[in-house]
Amino acid sequence: MLKQVKIFIICLFLALFAGQAALSAQIRPELQSRLDVMSQSDEIPVIVTLRDQVNPQAYRKLSKRLRQKKLITDLREKANRSQKPLKNLISLFQGRKFRSLWLVNSIAFTAKPRLIKRLANHPAVASVKLDAVVTLSPQTMNSSSLPEWNIDAIGVPDLWNLGYTGQGVVVANMDTGVDFDHPDLMNSWRGGSNSWYDPNNEYALPHDSDGHGTQVMGLMVGGDAGGSAIGVAPGAQWIGVKIFNDQGEASLSAIHLGYQWLLDPDGDPLTDDSPDIVNNSWGFPEQLNQCYQEFLTDIQMLKAAEIAVVFSAGNKGPLPYTSVSPANYSESFAVGATDFTDTLSDFSSRGPSPCDPDGVFPDVVAPGVSIKTADLTTIYGIPNVNPYTSVTGTSFAAPQVAGAMALLLSAAPTLTVTDLENIVRQSAWDQGLTGPDNDYGSGFVSLPGALALIPGINLCISDLDVDGDVDGSDVFVFAAETGRFDCSETTPCLADLTNDGAVDSSDLSLLLDDMGRSDCFTSPVP
């Protein structure tokens, strides 16, 4: 009998220990450290994530419109059904500031330790974490820039001249907001209640107190009101999410709410009002070379709905293993930064990525040093006489690639997100080591090359100066575009590839063959 009692006590102890271990596993360490020093009457913001999740891969075979409708409907229904018991418990224990994050089947609220521990032990709960705060990294400002050098460098005018300006495409940013009063941005805002979202409830209409979001949006869709073109896709429309409050802070729940809103801006899954592309010029630099998966599900869901997700690679270079999340997810499209000589910037983060060690980080690179863009029209209530600035950082390389994707979509609206990503990678000019590497990724973005890879597009991209002729003048444009700056009208030039003493269309043909580009043609349809 005594032996049986001992066995029972041991089993009971093991069961209790296992229960505590499970409980500890569900409460994330950063939250547990806060709970350890809190009194029972203190409150703390948390996010509870449920085990029952929608599988984004289940929607791949559906058409884009049907996919978005069914995905949104399923996400909402699963959240409503599975969150109901937890909502009752939260209400019973006086949880406050309740917000449903149906995109990731989570609940954000403020609670006391007793409720947090009870929820952590609930069988439906996968984890309980601190609703932590992300701080916007300061950006580098420059005193001068070469207007439009970045626009020319990635070949934007070639697509403009063919009539592709981003028309019919909607882009979004998750940032500090957008200055609606800027002359380069006011006319391209889509407008309406489904085109602006502030999860911090500070502003009912587009606003930016910092400038970062305005600078980013200027590079995506800005016009030429200041005398020079600043945006890659001026024909596109924009919508915005102000995830950062006026103190430069964004809670995890605010970012989740931002992504959630982007998937269904008007709250009606029957309408098609989500953006085609969203730019993210933010990350977690304090978690260097870590795979912080807080927003992995959000990005997977957006991509399942055919929304392209572009991220700045981070400014933690020049050493390897300096990637940051969420840019280093394999699902994100990460962009590093180069200067005006196409050289990778020292600050640009390098791979490999801990989230995808067998892949390449970043995906591509684009201009990110001394870039002219829009700035705030008023500063501390005083009108800014010159609402333009010059900026540096991967934050400003990324929106140019987002804008580039908008141009490609305006040329071929049926392209999928996978198509877009593959075309941009495959057409990039190889830089650094031969082939994709963890410095330059697949290389420097080339919009003409990307356009040439789209099946069925009628092109004559060899007429680079758009004068109606393919001749020697195009060689000089092409040579500059590909970094062959030794060419000029008065000095010997490597562009004379045929060695016949003349720089003409025969040299251009060799250049095009060398770079995998052809003369006037219709791209093949598979």
Side-chain angles (χ1 to χ4, degrees), residues 76-106:
R76 287 184 178 275
E77 288 181 351
K78 184 177 288 290
N80 289 336
R81 181 177 64 254
S82 60
Q83 290 179 13
K84 187 175 181 179
L86 297 183
K87 291 178 182 178
N88 294 334
L89 187 60
I90 293 169
S91 177
L92 179 65
F93 282 82
Q94 300 178 326
R96 300 187 305 110
K97 300 180 181 178
F98 179 93
R99 293 183 289 183
S100 176
L101 310 176
W102 51 261
L103 180 65
V104 291
N105 201 10
S106 300

Side-chain angles (χ1 to χ4, degrees), residues 121-177:
N121 208 29
H122 196 287
V125 173
S127 68
V128 186
K129 66 177 76 71
L130 177 69
D131 190 1
V133 171
V134 183
T135 303
L136 181 68
S137 299
Q139 67 267 32
T140 301
M141 311 295 287
N142 304 102
S143 59
S144 63
S145 69
L146 302 173
E148 298 188 44
W149 78 265
N150 56 304
I151 300 293
D152 289 330
I154 63 175
V156 172
D158 288 352
L159 272 71
W160 288 351
N161 291 330
L162 292 169
Y164 306 128
T165 64
Q167 65 272 25
V169 179
V170 177
V171 301
N173 71 343
M174 295 262 288
D175 217 291
T176 64

Side-chain angles (χ1 to χ4, degrees), residues 5-211:
V5 171
K6 287 182 177 179
I7 293 174
F8 174 77
I9 292 173
I10 291 171
C11 292
L12 180 61
F13 173 78
L14 290 175
L16 290 171
F17 179 80
Q20 288 298 316
L23 178 60
S24 299
Q26 290 173 346
I27 296 181
R28 296 289 175 82
E30 65 276 9
L31 175 58
Q32 186 62 58
S33 63
R34 296 282 291 273
L35 292 174
D36 290 342
V37 296
M38 288 174 60
S39 72
Q40 292 303 309
S41 60
D42 290 337
E43 292 183 328
I44 191 170
V46 296
I47 298 176
V48 170
T49 300
L50 282 72
R51 297 184 185 278
D52 193 9
Q53 296 285 329
V54 169
N55 178 11
Q57 299 301 319
Y59 303 83
R60 288 183 300 175
K61 295 182 179 180
L62 300 177
S63 66
K64 178 181 178 180
R65 185 66 205 107
L66 183 59
R67 184 185 315 175
Q68 288 187 352
K69 175 186 174 182
K70 184 164 177 53
L71 180 61
I72 294 168
T73 300
D74 289 354
L75 285 167
R76 287 184 178 275
E77 288 181 351
K78 184 177 288 290
N80 289 336
R81 181 177 64 254
S82 60
Q83 290 179 13
K84 187 175 181 179
L86 297 183
K87 291 178 182 178
N88 294 334
L89 187 60
I90 293 169
S91 177
L92 179 65
F93 282 82
Q94 300 178 326
R96 300 187 305 110
K97 300 180 181 178
F98 179 93
R99 293 183 289 183
S100 176
L101 310 176
W102 51 261
L103 180 65
V104 291
N105 201 10
S106 300
I107 306 169
F109 57 98
T110 300
K112 296 177 181 178
R114 182 185 177 191
L115 173 57
I116 293 170
K117 293 175 182 178
R118 184 175 290 268
L119 286 170
N121 208 29
H122 196 287
V125 173
S127 68
V128 186
K129 66 177 76 71
L130 177 69
D131 190 1
V133 171
V134 183
T135 303
L136 181 68
S137 299
Q139 67 267 32
T140 301
M141 311 295 287
N142 304 102
S143 59
S144 63
S145 69
L146 302 173
E148 298 188 44
W149 78 265
N150 56 304
I151 300 293
D152 289 330
I154 63 175
V156 172
D158 288 352
L159 272 71
W160 288 351
N161 291 330
L162 292 169
Y164 306 128
T165 64
Q167 65 272 25
V169 179
V170 177
V171 301
N173 71 343
M174 295 262 288
D175 217 291
T176 64
V178 182
D179 186 343
F180 172 73
D181 293 324
H182 198 286
D184 278 305
L185 299 173
M186 63 171 59
N187 294 325
S188 53
W189 182 47
R190 187 174 67 180
S193 59
N194 65 343
S195 297
W196 171 253
Y197 180 56
D198 179 1
N200 299 295
N201 296 314
E202 291 180 326
Y203 299 96
L205 292 172
H207 181 85
D208 185 7
S209 298
D210 178 271

Side-chain angles (χ1 to χ4, degrees), residues 311-328:
F311 266 91
S312 56
N315 302 326
K316 304 302 288 187
L319 297 178
Y321 299 97
T322 51
S323 73
V324 298
S325 295
N328 59 11

